[in-house]
Structures are given as structure tokens and as C-alpha cells.
């Protein structure tokens, strides 16, 4: 899961980033409106944590940009400006939740899981595809009820595709979501191929019915036979 944290307060930004990374999220940060706008235009995120009061613009304007671009990112507004008008306007522009500052990091994590579960998993606490079931809250994976051990990146890749069953995904888009936006600085994708190869082997050995199929020259898709 990839998160964009838009926050101008350096200390709060770093504390929040470290906390979210401990929860195994891929976290990108934006300290101002300009950086946030560029990232929103260039990349996709599972959730955006959005401060309203930025040094060079209003966070609510970013919601208007998302709406015009017809992007479906989950958005949680984080702001010390705790007025009813801002809450209402944010929700009308497409925000999914509003958490006033100061907040507890454990509550923020719960809110993130809640909005992602509501939008991506239909409110369910697990994700199912064929005979594979993933439990995001505990990072567990089972096939026919039997637990399968995966490393962190194998797990992240599996969740990424289980949220997009049957959809052809190019290598760049998947890499950005699982490894972060700096993936565009690497020379090749050999490390991705190795992780996918290992994941496909583990799923096959476990008797999984869905299969990660390679589409030559394009990417991969998860197919249930």
C-alpha cells in the first residue's frame, strides 16, 4: 500500500512517516502544495494524508484537482484548522475522513485501514481471490486455509495484484506502488523479476488457483483459472 503524506511541519512529517513505514506502508512525502500537486499528477496512491494549511496553497485545492482528474485515491484530511466549514467542504470535494491535529498515530493508522478497507475491500477484513486469502491487518496469507510464508515484498506484490484481479499491470506502475516513486531512477527491473518469480513459485507450491501471468513486453496480471 502506497501513501502520500502532505504535511509542511517537518517534525510531524518525519514522525508520521516513520510510524507508517513501521506499519509496512510505502510512504512518499510532500512538504508543500507544489510538490504534492506534482506527485498527484505523476503517481497513484492508495491513500493521501492531506494537510489543509500549506505554505504555498490550500490543501482543499488539491482535492479539487483529484476530482477533475477523476482519481479515486482515499483521502484523509489532517489539519489543526478544525472548523465545520472546512470539514464539510473537504467531504464535499471527496475526502473520506477528517482527523484534527494533534492526533494519535495509532488512531491515524486505524483510520487509514478503515478507508482502504471500505473502498478497496468492500468493508471486509480480508481480501480473497480464488483460494488465496490475505489478512492485511496481520499481513497473513493463506491458501485453502493453510498459511503461506512470504517475505515483505512478495506480500506487497501479492496484495497489489489481488486488488486488481484480471487487470493487466505494467511493470513501472507496479514497481512505483510497491517500491515507491524513486523506482524511476533504477536502471532495470531485475530485482522485481526475482521477487515475482519467487512469489509465483510459493503460490504454485501451496496449490493456489490464481496465477500471476506474464504478458511479454508489458507486465503481469493475476488470472484465476
Amino acid at each position: 500500500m502506497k501513501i502520500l503524506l502532505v504535511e509542511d511541519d517537518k517534525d510531524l512529517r518525519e514522525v508520521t512517516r516513520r510510524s507508517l513505514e513501521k506499519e509496512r506502508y510505502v510512504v512518499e512525502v510532500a512538504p508543500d502544495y507544489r510538490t504534492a500537486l506534482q506527485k498527484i499528477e505523476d503517481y497513484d496512491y492508495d491513500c493521501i494524508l492531506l494537510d489543509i494549511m500549506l505554505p504555498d496553497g490550500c490543501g482543499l485545492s488539491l482535492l479539487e484537482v483529484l476530482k477533475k482528474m477523476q482519481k479515486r485515491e482515499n483521502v484523509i484530511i489532517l489539519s489543526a484548522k478544525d472548523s465545520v466549514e472546512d470539514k464539510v467542504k473537504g467531504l464535499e470535494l471527496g475526502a473520506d475522513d477528517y482527523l484534527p491535529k494533534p492526533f494519535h498515530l495509532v488512531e491515524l493508522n486505524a483510520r487509514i485501514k478503515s478507508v482502504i478497507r471500505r473502498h478497496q475491500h468492500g468493508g471486509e477484513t480480508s481480501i480473497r481471490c480464488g483460494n488465496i486469502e490475505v489478512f492485511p491487518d496481520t499481513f497473513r496469507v493463506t491458501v485453502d486455509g493453510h498459511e503461506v510464508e512470504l517475505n515483505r515484498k512478495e506480500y506487497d506484490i501479492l496484495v497489489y495484484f489481488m486488488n486488481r484481479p484480471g487487470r493487466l499491470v505494467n511493470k513501472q506502475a507496479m514497481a512505483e506502488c510497491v517500491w515507491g516513486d524513486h523506482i524511476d531512477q533504477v536502471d532495470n527491473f531485475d530485482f522485481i523479476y526475482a521477487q515475482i518469480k519467487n512469489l509465483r513459485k510459493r503460490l504454485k507450491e501451496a496449490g493456489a488457483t490464481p496465477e500471476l501471468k506474464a504478458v511479454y513486453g508489458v507486465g503481469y496480471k493475476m488470472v484465476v483459472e
Side-chain angles (χ1 to χ4, degrees):
M1 297 288 182
K2 188 167 73 164
I3 291 176
L4 174 62
L5 172 60
V6 183
E7 172 57 60
D8 66 321
D9 185 299
K10 182 179 179 181
D11 292 338
L12 178 59
R13 187 172 65 244
E14 288 306 302
V15 168
T16 305
R17 179 186 61 80
R18 289 196 297 269
S19 174
L20 294 174
E21 287 178 344
K22 287 180 181 179
E23 295 295 329
R24 296 175 55 168
Y25 293 110
V26 174
V27 184
E28 297 294 332
V29 298
D32 50 45
Y33 181 94
R34 181 188 59 81
T35 305
L37 179 61
Q38 182 178 359
K39 285 183 174 291
I40 286 171
E41 290 176 339
D42 292 344
Y43 304 106
D44 294 323
Y45 298 91
D46 294 292
C47 187
I48 297 174
L49 306 177
L50 181 61
D51 186 14
I52 291 179
M53 301 179 69
L54 298 170
D56 56 344
C58 176
L60 293 177
S61 297
L62 292 171
L63 284 173
E64 294 176 334
V65 173
L66 286 168
K67 191 173 184 178
K68 289 178 182 177
M69 295 176 68
Q70 297 184 325
K71 286 203 165 190
R72 299 181 179 275
E73 274 84 342
N74 302 296
V75 178
I76 300 175
I77 293 175
L78 308 176
S79 181
K81 194 177 180 182
D82 190 21
S83 72
V84 174
E85 290 79 9
D86 286 323
K87 289 182 180 180
V88 171
K89 186 174 181 180
L91 293 172
E92 287 178 344
L93 288 171
D96 299 279
D97 205 347
Y98 192 110
L99 187 60
K101 299 177 184 177
F103 53 81
H104 293 288
L105 292 170
V106 64
E107 181 179 4
L108 173 61
N109 184 45
R111 299 277 188 114
I112 293 171
K113 289 181 178 179
S114 177
V115 297
I116 290 176
R117 185 165 57 239
R118 189 163 65 243
H119 285 260
Q120 295 186 359
H121 311 150
E124 297 292 329
T125 56
S126 66
I127 314 169
R128 298 179 182 84
C129 185
N131 62 348
I132 305 176
E133 187 168 12
V134 173
F135 301 86
D137 287 352
T138 55
F139 311 108
R140 292 176 52 243
V141 177
T142 64
V143 173
D144 282 330
H146 301 288
E147 196 149 342
V148 179
E149 293 292 332
L150 301 177
N151 69 33
R152 176 172 175 174
K153 288 307 178 187
E154 291 167 356
Y155 171 88
D156 290 343
I157 292 169
L158 176 61
V159 170
Y160 182 83
F161 280 100
M162 286 186 67
N163 281 322
R164 299 160 179 82
R167 181 170 144 193
L168 179 60
V169 178
N170 67 58
K171 298 183 288 291
Q172 182 76 28
M174 184 202 68
E176 286 171 1
C177 188
V178 176
W179 277 271
D181 300 345
H182 299 297
I183 194 69
D184 54 10
Q185 299 174 11
V186 303
D187 295 327
N188 60 64
F189 290 99
D190 289 349
F191 62 100
I192 296 176
Y193 301 142
Q195 295 283 1
I196 290 180
K197 180 180 178 181
N198 291 338
L199 174 60
R200 294 168 76 180
K201 179 181 178 182
R202 293 179 192 275
L203 293 177
K204 184 176 181 179
E205 290 175 346
T209 52
E211 181 183 357
L212 268 179
K213 288 195 172 182
V215 179
Y216 183 76
V218 182
Y220 299 86
K221 64 178 177 179
M222 176 165 276
V223 178
V224 181
E225 299 294 345

